[in-house]
Amino acid sequence: MTQISRFTGEIVPIAQVVTGDGDESAAPQGGGGFADYALVSLHCLRIYLDTSYRMTIDLLKEMPQITGEIGLSKADLPAPSTLCKAFDRISM
């Protein structure tokens, strides 16, 4: 298990509790939005990796195990602009 995998395994359950949508599907279905816990987890990974939103998404496209821990697939990953805008709308 890599450090990124351990970090993701710790952050996803925390994000699910904090956002209160742990039972929700991470990826949008039928035009819905991403689950807040998935967006928070992606943002935390961006900080952990010390990269831009775009670079984080590019890296995660090559890490199916990590995206799977969040509940996403390579095809489900949001565009960097979606991730940036979504994090701005989440109340702190």
Side-chain angles (χ1 to χ4, degrees), residues 10-12 15-16 18 28 33-34 39-40 44-45 51 54 62-63 65 69 71 75 81 84-85:
E10 291 177 17
I11 201 65
V12 170
Q16 288 173 325
V18 169
F34 289 92
L39 296 170
V40 170
C44 290
L45 276 169
T51 60
R54 182 171 308 284
E62 304 301 324
M63 300 180 186
Q65 178 185 349
E69 288 181 35
S81 61
C84 182
K85 290 175 188 175

Side-chain angles (χ1 to χ4, degrees), residues 20-90:
D21 62 358
D23 295 335
E24 190 175 330
S25 174
Q29 307 225 338
F34 289 92
D36 286 344
Y37 80 85
L39 296 170
V40 170
S41 297
L42 291 170
H43 183 71
C44 290
L45 276 169
R46 182 190 71 81
I47 292 169
Y48 181 79
L49 297 170
D50 193 27
T51 60
S52 66
Y53 287 108
R54 182 171 308 284
M55 181 59 72
T56 301
I57 297 301
D58 285 346
L59 288 170
L60 289 173
K61 287 179 181 177
E62 304 301 324
M63 300 180 186
Q65 178 185 349
I66 303 301
T67 56
E69 288 181 35
I70 299 170
L72 299 170
S73 69
K74 179 179 175 179
D76 292 331
L77 288 170
S81 61
T82 300
L83 185 57
C84 182
K85 290 175 188 175
F87 195 73
D88 287 341
R89 76 167 170 74
I90 296 174

